[in-house]
Amino acid sequence: MTEGAGSDHGLVLLCEDEPIVALDLKLMIEEAGFRVAGPHARITAALADLDTALVAAVLDVRLKDGDVFPVADALTARSVPLIFHSAHVIEDDIAARFPGARYCPKPVDRNVIGTALMGCAAS
Amino acid sequence: MNDRAVTAGEAADVAGGATLRVVGVGASAGGLEALREMLTEAGPDCTLAFVVVQHLDPNHESLLAELLARHTSLEVHQAEDGETVRPGTVLIIPPGHGLSIDGGRLSLTEFEQPRGLRRPIDDFFESLAIDQGRRAACVILSGTGADGTAGLRAIKEHGGVGVVQDPRTAKYDGMPSSAQSTGLVDFVLAPGEMIETLQQFFSKSAAEAGGRELAVTVEETLDDICAAVRAVSGHDFSGYKKSTLSRRVQRRIQVLDLPDADAYLRHIRDDPAECEFLFRELLINVTRFFRDAEHFRTLRRRVVKPLVQNAGNEDIRVWVAGCSSGEEAYSIAMLFAEEVRLQRRSIDIQIFATDIDERMLEIARRGVYAHSVMADVPEEIRDLYTVARGSSTFQVSARIRDMIRFSAHSLVRDPPFSNIDLLSCRNVLIYFGEPLQSTVLPIFHYAIRPGGTLFLGPSETLGRNDRMFHAVDSQARIFERNDARSEYPIHLKGRSDDPRRRRRAAERSSGPATHVPWSDNAATERILEAYGPATLLVTSQGEVVGSTGRLGRYLEVFPGERTAQHAASLARPGVREAISSLVRQSGQTGRRAVGRDIVATSELGRQVFDLIADPLRDGTILLVFRPRDRFAPTDEEDIEDIDASDSHVQGLEDELRATRARLSTAVEELETANEELKSSNEEMMSMNEELQSTNEELATVNDELKDKVEDLSVANADLSNFFSTTVLPLVVLDIDGRVRNFTDAIHAIYPLRAGDRGRPLSEVTSRISEDAAVLAATEEVIETGEGRDLQVRDTSAGRIWSLAASPYRNRNDRIDGVTLVFSELTEALRLEGALKAESDRLRLALDVAQMGVWELSEGATGLRFDNTSAKLLGLDRGELPLGDFLDSLPEAFRSETETTLRQHDGTVLPFTLTFDFDVGDGDGRSIQMVGRRSGDRTLGVLYDVTEAEEARRVREIMLHEMNHRVKNLFSIISGIVRIAGMSAESVPALVDGVTARIGALARSHNLTHHVPAGGSLTLRDAVESAVEPYRGHAGIEVDGPRIDVAAETLTTLSLLFHELATNTAKYGVLGPAEGTLAITWTHAGGDEVRLHWTERYEAPMARGEAEKSGFGSTLMQMSAAQVDGRIEVERTVDMRMTILMFEIHD
């Protein structure tokens, strides 16, 4: 939080239904110098919070009201780079459905997510 | 009669069309076997028609047709009168009748001969020969005697084919040997080969057109063929009738299967043996003892008798030319012997019997003939001149045989005998052409002494040579040699090979004749007629033989009385005595005699003349009337005187004639008496013959019976073997329930001994407990005639039998008892039980396992399913074509399944297929199909594995979920640690915080895993779990309606409640402050729930530092947000109320 507090690389959408993990991720993203939209535990909430200024989205696959893919589709339509963050072993599915999406398996290391976010912001 | 150019059958041939070939089969004793062998070989395509003539007992029905029908594919039945012979059938002679055939129709004939002398085979063959000619065949099979031999000759004479059973294969070789000895047989074969040979032969001769052409070519080459025969045998047949020669040569060509006459010519030139065959073929001649018996009787009366009577010291010389097998020569010899015997004379009689066929002569020399031809020999001389040889033959007695000298001699080639009294040459000239006949008759004329006799066959005539002979009895063909000058047949001397040269020689030899016969020249005739004295030629008896000159003055002519005119009776008054006395005198002395000045008186006048009687060499007497004076006409008165002087002698002569007539009547009467005696004798003979014939017939019946007996004994042997070896207990009961017969194996049930036959079965103790039922069944079978089956058991031995009681029928198909057959079922029943138990067990196992059985049908065309498997697969029938089955499988399984099932090499290893199968009710099912090939069957079981598959899927999902959760947990824990690390003041505080939060997670997790069955998690559970560690504190109130919470929500809520409880414990009433905690919740409308976490302090408490929004409250807020809720806090000095509002999502 201290390192990235001064910089702003942009807004990142966070979808995560587990409160502790959501908080943790929020802190890590902010620490990496991004602002966080969310975290959202529901697809409906996430879809309502799509901002054109998003530079990336960190998505847990399973949310309270289902899989996150409608959100991912909407984001892809807006060319928002995606970072999937999941305990599910579904890389192949995601890779097939969302080519170009990044993937960070749980539990996540803050360097990994930081690198991924920076990659998204750069692209 | 032997020389029909065309027979009826051949006429039919010419008409074209029918291909009927009739095979006459003659058989007697032992013939059944031969017939059977012969006819067995007949294929269904056999187009020959067979007529079997067998010697049968006239009084018994014959089994022959029935016996033969079993062995041949041809139709066999007894012939009926008027029946037409048809190809492919065998007609059998009925008993008691002869058979003849006319126009292809059989007719039954009555026997004229007594039994024993009947020759049905000969009779039939002879009629067959005439009717069918070249299309006839005769087969002579086993039998005694010689019946058939004469018939064979007839068949051959008419161009048919003759087949004889090889005597070595015949049971009785009499008939075949006799037939074979004629030398006329075409084929000598074993019975089995006959039909094929005949079929081949006839198929060769089938083409009629070819036959005609053949006839033409044969006629063209006939001269060459004759030359070839002459070159080998020395006999020249060129003078024979062309038609006869041609026909016989054609037959040889057919027998040899040659294409044409040229080929035959080559063959005959190459093969001297063929010359011999043809030679024999050409010489076919039918001869018999006393053939044409009437003629022989005439011969005896007119020739033999006088010859014997008038014989002087000289021998009587007889020549039988063309004697063939000698019957004719012996016949004539017997006639002479008999005359000599009757007349009690002692005369040397020499008979020369000649023929060109040396083989025939051998038969003739033996003089042994079949008994059957004995009938031809007149009965009165039969016993005198024949001797029985064996049962079926006789021999001409030595006395007769010694009279005859048989020698090979050719009429046309060899010098003739001379000074012959009687020359018999019968049925020879008919074969000769006209030129040859004209050559032969002068030879006869030369050979016969003057006044000697020529005896010809019934259809033979002198033709143009009648000047040499005159008929003695033209009916009987007896001729007397005229005293014409005979010329020595000089052409015979030089055996010229050139017939033309020979003819020239003959012409030359007759050229320089110096003497001209007086009766043969017109000039002489004219002289004699006009200028010579009136002359009469008379026999020594005074019969007029010839006359010349004007005899009117001396003789009275009575027109009409041409024959046997006595010169004396013709003479005019006055001449008669002179003629009689002169003829007598001259005939006795053999010298010339003269009567002078004899007066012949006629109505017109008187003539004086001398009468000279001049005996000639041949016994006739020439009477020459030489007039002495001029003819003087007379008055009528004179006639009276002369009549008176003549009438006495005339009266005497009339009386003599009348006496002679009476004598002849007496003799006739005597003969009649004699005839009667003879006929009695004949009857005796015939009875004897009948007995012999019966014997032969009995032999035939015996044969038939033997056959039957053989069949029976085989059947009997089979039966007794069956009875002694079978393990089947069997007992036969008669109609009264008495034991008739049983097998040894019956001891297992009834202790029967041999002596028990005839005992009622009811008296026999049995080992079985159903005695009464058995007896009842027996009676029922006898009553109803229908079989019964029942089971009986031998309780002591624990054996079970199946009893089949069936009616026993006798030959007339009447029920004559019962057959009881027991078959043991013990083992079978035990096996059946074991099998059933085994099967039940298997079925049960399959049922329990819910397994179905399937089997691949043969050829892998379909699959059969039992009920269970059909049900599993949702089929409404037990069978499915393989294609349909495969189509019903999910596509992915088809090719693999098909490959597996279609493997035919028998080495298929056990295989397992699992596939999802849509049974049609919308539910997919997973079916496992297990099978293997066993022998040539492929079968196995199938069962439902849907549940197992489902369980497997669930397990996989679970594992996946576990994995997810564990990783999630790791995320949460690392989050907890990280977050705690941010706010903790010290390491122990950090550890406490982390431990407490992990404990809360664990409790929440615990909750989700201890959901009561059928229930769900409630809000209360989450709340109580959070305050659980603080239960020791008084004043915790938990209250609210039951609200079900989803598991995910519960975890979040638990965490939230934990934070609240931790805060309360750290700063509030569960910790340092005194007071109570009330946790209450309510429905706030819709899905919203409103929960109040209310601390009431006992002592007013100021807002502490800890209450400022810290990390814990951030987490709480975030957690609330996660459950779409929010948290509000109300604070007074004596209470602190945290309000959680969230929505329950179902």
Side-chain angles (χ1 to χ4, degrees):
Chain A
M1 184 180 262
T2 46
E3 287 168 39
S7 56
D8 178 10
H9 297 303
L11 187 61
V12 173
L13 180 72
L14 173 60
C15 292
E16 170 61 62
D17 62 343
E18 190 64 48
I20 292 175
V21 180
L23 181 60
D24 190 24
L25 275 171
K26 184 172 181 284
L27 296 177
M28 276 193 271
I29 293 165
E30 286 170 352
E31 197 174 299
F34 295 86
R35 283 172 289 117
V36 172
H40 299 291
R42 290 174 186 277
I43 299 164
T44 44
L47 286 173
D49 191 26
L50 295 180
D51 192 318
T52 46
L54 289 171
V55 295
V58 176
L59 306 175
D60 183 11
V61 175
R62 193 176 296 173
L63 297 185
K64 274 195 162 30
D65 55 356
D67 285 347
V68 78
F69 298 124
V71 181
D73 287 336
L75 290 169
T76 305
R78 292 160 194 263
S79 306
V80 179
L82 304 177
I83 300 166
F84 285 100
H85 163 252
S86 174
H88 295 274
V89 192
I90 48 171
E91 291 97 329
D92 291 347
D93 279 4
I94 293 167
R97 196 160 168 180
F98 305 103
R102 288 177 171 77
Y103 186 78
C104 298
K106 285 185 180 178
V108 73
D109 186 86
R110 66 172 170 194
N111 291 327
V112 172
I113 195 118
T115 308
L117 284 169
M118 289 311 286
C120 290
S123 65
Chain B
M1 144 168 155
N2 300 322
D3 196 30
R4 290 175 181 231
V6 177
T7 64
E10 285 172 79
D13 264 8
V14 173
T19 55
L20 181 71
R21 310 289 182 188
V22 184
V23 181
V25 184
S28 187
L32 176 66
E33 188 185 319
L35 274 169
R36 206 165 48 205
E37 282 174 35
M38 173 180 159
L39 294 175
T40 303
E41 296 302 318
D45 56 340
C46 179
T47 54
L48 303 175
F50 296 91
V51 179
V52 176
V53 181
Q54 165 93 327
H55 292 153
L56 293 169
D57 182 345
N59 304 320
H60 283 89
E61 202 182 312
S62 171
L63 297 168
L64 196 57
E66 184 198 332
L67 289 171
L68 288 178
R70 289 193 214 152
H71 294 281
T72 178
S73 56
L74 300 173
E75 183 190 332
V76 184
H77 64 266
Q78 200 157 297
E80 283 166 24
D81 195 28
E83 183 162 5
T84 308
V85 291
R86 281 177 294 122
T89 57
V90 180
L91 299 178
I92 311 270
I93 191 170
H97 289 279
L99 266 185
S100 68
I101 183 166
D102 185 15
R105 286 163 68 88
L106 293 177
S107 47
L108 304 186
T109 57
E110 299 300 328
F111 289 114
E112 289 166 6
Q113 302 275 1
R115 283 171 81 179
L117 293 181
R118 293 170 185 169
R119 285 191 279 159
I121 302 175
D122 279 345
D123 294 345
F124 178 70
F125 283 1
E126 277 161 17
S127 77
L128 178 63
I130 291 164
D131 189 50
Q132 297 292 326
R134 286 189 294 164
R135 304 188 312 166
C138 66
V139 174
I140 295 171
L141 300 175
S142 168
T144 57
D147 196 6
T149 304
L152 172 78
R153 282 181 182 277
I155 292 277
K156 292 288 296 177
E157 216 182 2
H158 288 85
V161 65
V163 181
V164 160
Q165 182 177 9
D166 188 340
R168 284 171 300 181
T169 69
K171 215 163 171 186
Y172 298 91
D173 63 359
M175 278 174 24
S177 297
S178 168
Q180 208 186 349
S181 68
T182 60
L184 299 176
V185 173
D186 292 299
F187 303 104
V188 178
L189 300 168
E193 306 161 347
M194 290 176 173
I195 288 187
E196 196 193 341
T197 307
L198 280 172
Q199 277 180 313
Q200 269 174 7
F201 175 80
F202 281 129
S203 70
K204 299 290 155 48
S205 66
E208 294 299 331
R212 296 283 145 234
E213 277 172 37
L214 187 62
V216 174
T217 60
V218 166
E219 272 165 34
E220 283 166 359
T221 52
L222 216 47
D223 285 342
D224 293 330
I225 291 171
C226 285
V229 174
R230 192 172 62 234
V232 174
S233 72
H235 293 290
D236 184 5
F237 287 97
S238 57
Y240 277 49
K241 281 204 183 109
K242 294 278 185 232
S243 55
T244 314
L245 284 176
S246 166
R247 219 164 46 234
R248 307 255 154 116
V249 169
Q250 277 182 54
R251 258 189 45 76
R252 282 308 300 169
I253 292 174
Q254 278 170 11
V255 168
L256 291 168
D257 189 21
L258 293 172
D260 54 28
D262 288 335
Y264 183 71
L265 187 59
R266 281 195 296 279
H267 176 65
I268 200 166
R269 280 175 176 158
D270 292 347
D271 187 1
E274 179 57 30
C275 285
E276 184 70 17
F277 272 119
L278 181 62
F279 175 61
R280 198 130 289 126
E281 190 87 36
L282 292 171
L283 291 178
I284 295 168
N285 200 352
V286 178
T287 181
R288 277 187 175 189
F289 281 101
F290 297 94
R291 187 179 187 186
D292 313 309
E294 189 57 41
H295 297 189
F296 269 91
R297 273 195 287 279
T298 312
L299 181 74
R300 180 173 172 183
R301 194 173 72 245
R302 301 290 297 265
V303 180
V304 179
K305 200 168 175 178
L307 266 177
V308 173
Q309 262 172 356
N310 301 332
N313 294 329
E314 287 183 12
D315 299 350
I316 294 175
R317 288 161 66 87
V318 179
W319 181 12
V320 180
C323 67
S324 189
S325 43
E327 285 92 335
E328 192 178 299
Y330 285 124
S331 302
I332 290 172
M334 286 177 195
L335 288 185
F336 275 102
E338 184 66 2
E339 277 305 324
V340 167
R341 188 180 69 85
L342 290 175
Q343 296 184 25
R344 297 168 194 280
R345 297 286 306 265
S346 175
I347 304 165
D348 285 335
I349 297 166
Q350 268 195 31
I351 299 175
F352 306 100
T354 64
D355 201 283
I356 57 173
D357 190 348
E358 186 59 49
R359 244 169 99 174
M360 286 294 130
L361 287 171
E362 265 167 43
I363 297 172
R365 283 189 193 108
R366 275 203 308 276
V368 177
Y369 299 96
H371 212 280
S372 55
V373 305
M374 182 82 99
D376 298 329
V377 181
E379 282 182 80
E380 62 271 23
I381 60 173
R382 215 179 270 167
D383 291 343
L384 284 170
Y385 305 116
T386 60
V387 182
R389 289 270 184 268
S391 61
S392 61
T393 57
F394 69 92
Q395 189 173 28
V396 178
S397 70
R399 193 145 55 98
I400 299 293
R401 277 185 287 137
D402 288 346
M403 289 166 71
I404 306 173
R405 194 174 308 151
F406 288 101
S407 54
H409 176 279
S410 166
L411 275 178
V412 291
R413 201 184 60 183
D414 296 322
F417 294 88
S418 61
N419 216 18
I420 294 296
D421 291 294
L422 168 62
L423 197 165
S424 167
C425 180
R426 310 189 71 219
N427 302 317
V428 174
L429 296 182
I430 48 168
Y431 294 102
F432 289 178
E434 184 61 35
L436 193 55
Q437 285 191 14
S438 298
T439 316
V440 168
L441 280 168
I443 296 173
F444 289 170
H445 187 256
Y446 170 81
I448 299 170
R449 67 161 176 78
T453 310
L454 174 65
F455 185 33
L456 293 179
S459 45
E460 290 164 327
T461 58
L462 295 172
R464 292 190 283 115
N465 300 287
D466 51 356
R467 68 184 165 81
M468 298 180 185
F469 299 93
H470 63 270
V472 173
D473 186 319
S474 57
Q475 194 65 45
R477 296 284 189 260
I478 297 171
F479 303 91
E480 189 176 300
R481 179 189 187 275
N482 285 339
D483 193 22
R485 195 195 69 87
S486 58
E487 55 184 56
Y488 181 75
I490 199 155
H491 61 275
L492 294 169
K493 283 186 204 164
R495 293 188 180 179
S496 165
D497 285 336
D498 183 350
R500 279 170 304 173
R501 220 169 68 204
R502 184 190 296 163
R503 213 174 297 132
R504 277 201 302 277
E507 280 156 16
R508 265 204 311 278
S509 70
S510 60
T514 49
H515 181 84
V516 178
W518 63 277
S519 60
D520 204 23
N521 186 294
T524 359
E525 206 131 295
R526 184 70 192 137
I527 294 167
L528 289 170
E529 203 66 34
Y531 308 103
T535 308
L536 265 183
L537 182 65
V538 298
T539 63
S540 54
Q541 275 76 41
E543 281 171 341
V544 177
V545 179
S547 67
T548 182
R550 297 176 177 173
L551 284 160
R553 291 176 190 168
Y554 315 106
L555 300 178
E556 281 177 314
V557 180
F558 304 106
E561 286 188 31
R562 296 295 298 162
T563 53
Q565 298 191 82
H566 280 265
S569 55
L570 292 177
R572 291 189 181 277
V575 183
R576 190 174 293 146
E577 299 83 4
I579 290 179
S580 296
S581 62
L582 278 172
V583 166
R584 203 161 37 245
Q585 191 185 337
S586 174
Q588 275 166 9
T589 62
R591 309 244 300 264
R592 293 216 299 179
V594 181
R596 297 182 192 280
D597 297 329
I598 304 163
V599 180
T601 312
S602 67
E603 300 88 336
L604 306 168
R606 316 158 45 100
Q607 171 73 54
V608 180
F609 67 98
D610 289 348
L611 179 62
I612 304 162
D614 186 357
L616 299 179
R617 258 187 319 179
D618 62 358
T620 57
I621 296 163
L622 211 54
L623 294 174
V624 183
F625 298 85
R626 199 160 61 193
R628 298 277 294 172
D629 203 352
R630 293 184 74 80
F631 180 72
T634 52
D635 299 332
E636 289 197 353
E637 289 93 331
D638 297 332
I639 300 166
E640 196 68 28
D641 297 340
I642 294 158
D643 278 353
S645 69
D646 284 344
S647 61
H648 180 61
V649 178
Q650 183 101 43
L652 281 176
E653 284 182 348
D654 285 349
E655 200 177 321
L656 183 61
R657 271 198 286 277
T659 312
R660 273 188 184 151
R662 275 203 300 280
L663 183 63
S664 116
T665 312
V667 165
E668 260 170 42
E669 278 168 4
L670 204 64
E671 276 174 357
T672 309
N674 201 17
E675 284 292 323
E676 274 166 19
L677 281 174
K678 272 187 219 157
S679 89
S680 304
N681 187 32
E682 198 171 287
E683 267 187 45
M684 299 275 284
M685 284 289 289
S686 76
M687 280 171 73
N688 188 23
E689 299 295 349
E690 254 178 62
L691 286 173
Q692 272 185 23
S693 143
T694 310
N695 195 26
E696 186 145 316
E697 286 154 9
L698 282 176
T700 304
V701 173
N702 196 22
D703 267 2
E704 292 176 358
L705 287 178
K706 247 198 260 170
D707 218 56
K708 282 257 173 193
V709 165
E710 217 159 89
D711 283 359
L712 277 177
S713 50
V714 167
N716 203 27
D718 287 352
L719 208 60
S720 58
N721 269 307
F722 172 76
F723 268 92
S724 63
T725 59
T726 182
V727 293
L728 213 58
L730 182 151
V731 60
V732 181
L733 304 180
D734 66 12
I735 193 103
D736 299 321
R738 293 172 196 277
V739 176
R740 181 181 286 157
N741 213 337
F742 51 84
T743 61
D744 292 350
I746 199 73
H747 292 310
I749 293 149
Y750 294 106
L752 291 172
R753 295 282 171 271
D756 288 332
R757 290 203 169 87
R759 264 181 77 189
L761 188 70
S762 51
E763 288 177 11
V764 180
T765 51
S766 77
R767 294 178 191 279
I768 53 172
S769 40
E770 287 88 347
D771 265 337
V774 171
L775 293 172
T778 306
E779 279 165 24
E780 200 183 314
V781 169
I782 289 172
E783 260 172 48
T784 62
E786 279 166 22
R788 280 279 318 270
D789 290 316
L790 59 155
Q791 269 190 19
V792 294
R793 48 194 83 231
D794 173 357
T795 35
S796 58
R799 298 169 86 174
I800 302 167
W801 304 87
S802 160
L803 164 61
S806 44
Y808 177 100
R809 292 177 192 277
N810 63 9
R811 272 179 310 164
N812 306 327
D813 206 30
R814 290 236 311 276
I815 294 167
D816 198 26
V818 185
T819 310
L820 303 178
V821 181
F822 295 87
S823 9
E824 181 156 12
L825 295 178
T826 319
E827 188 66 5
L829 285 175
R830 193 188 63 73
L831 281 174
E832 190 187 319
L835 207 62
K836 191 168 181 303
E838 190 68 23
S839 161
D840 284 352
R841 197 154 60 231
L842 273 175
R843 189 72 253 171
L844 193 65
L846 286 171
D847 283 351
V848 167
Q850 289 199 314
M851 280 178 170
V853 178
W854 62 270
E855 183 174 1
L856 191 65
S857 67
E858 212 168 300
T861 53
L863 286 160
R864 270 194 296 281
F865 301 102
D866 69 350
N867 290 339
T868 316
S869 44
K871 210 165 98 192
L872 282 174
L873 295 173
L875 301 174
D876 50 2
R877 58 212 155 102
E879 284 212 49
L880 208 60
L882 187 60
D884 290 5
F885 173 71
L886 292 171
D887 287 346
S888 69
L889 295 181
E891 182 122 27
F893 296 102
R894 274 179 210 163
S895 70
E896 186 199 349
T897 310
E898 183 169 8
T899 315
T900 309
L901 291 180
R902 281 199 196 278
Q903 271 173 355
H904 290 301
D905 57 5
T907 58
V908 178
L909 294 169
F911 66 89
T912 307
L913 290 170
T914 309
F915 46 81
D916 294 327
F917 199 85
D918 184 5
V919 294
D921 56 3
D923 291 343
R925 253 185 218 169
S926 291
I927 302 289
Q928 189 148 38
M929 187 165 171
V930 181
R932 67 180 297 169
R933 183 171 282 268
S934 164
D936 52 355
R937 301 174 76 184
T938 305
L939 76 171
V941 294
L942 50 84
Y943 43 90
D944 193 339
V945 291
T946 314
E947 282 174 25
E949 285 290 295
E950 190 57 40
R952 193 174 56 79
R953 265 198 293 277
V954 168
R955 197 166 61 241
E956 271 173 20
I957 291 167
M958 291 284 285
L959 278 173
H960 191 77
E961 187 62 27
M962 281 289 287
N963 189 27
H964 172 77
R965 289 216 182 166
V966 169
K967 283 185 181 170
N968 230 7
L969 207 57
F970 291 153
S971 291
I972 292 168
I973 290 167
S974 67
I976 288 170
V977 174
R978 240 191 313 262
I979 292 161
M982 281 176 206
S983 57
E985 292 112 8
S986 63
V987 175
L990 172 74
V991 172
D992 281 352
V994 170
T995 312
R997 286 198 177 103
I998 289 173
L1001 267 178
R1003 279 195 300 279
S1004 148
H1005 184 74
N1006 238 14
L1007 274 179
T1008 58
H1009 282 268
H1010 287 90
V1011 184
S1016 53
L1017 294 168
T1018 60
L1019 188 59
R1020 178 183 291 270
D1021 293 331
V1023 173
E1024 291 201 338
S1025 153
V1027 298
E1028 183 70 34
Y1030 313 104
R1031 269 299 177 191
H1033 292 269
I1036 299 176
E1037 183 199 344
V1038 178
D1039 188 30
R1042 178 189 169 94
I1043 290 171
D1044 292 342
V1045 183
E1048 312 89 294
T1049 312
L1050 190 82
T1051 312
T1052 309
L1053 289 176
S1054 294
L1055 202 65
L1056 202 152
F1057 294 147
H1058 168 76
E1059 287 301 327
L1060 278 172
T1062 308
N1063 274 348
T1064 311
K1066 209 167 180 181
Y1067 309 108
V1069 297
L1070 294 179
E1074 293 292 319
T1076 57
L1077 175 62
I1079 308 163
T1080 59
W1081 58 90
T1082 55
H1083 281 290
D1087 288 334
E1088 198 180 65
V1089 173
R1090 194 173 282 246
L1091 182 138
H1092 298 267
W1093 184 287
T1094 314
E1095 290 172 75
R1096 289 197 175 83
Y1097 306 117
E1098 284 184 7
M1101 207 168 86
R1103 255 171 104 104
E1105 193 183 337
E1107 288 175 48
K1108 67 181 185 235
S1109 178
F1111 196 75
S1113 64
T1114 311
L1115 186 57
M1116 275 192 283
Q1117 282 298 347
M1118 188 163 294
S1119 297
Q1122 293 290 347
V1123 291
D1124 298 326
R1126 62 184 191 281
I1127 288 177
E1128 286 170 14
V1129 179
E1130 286 175 26
R1131 178 72 165 99
T1132 60
V1133 284
D1134 48 349
M1135 69 147 235
R1136 176 188 170 87
M1137 183 162 60
T1138 309
I1139 305 157
L1140 171 66
M1141 287 153 291
F1142 65 97
E1143 285 183 7
I1144 302 298
H1145 298 279
D1146 289 325

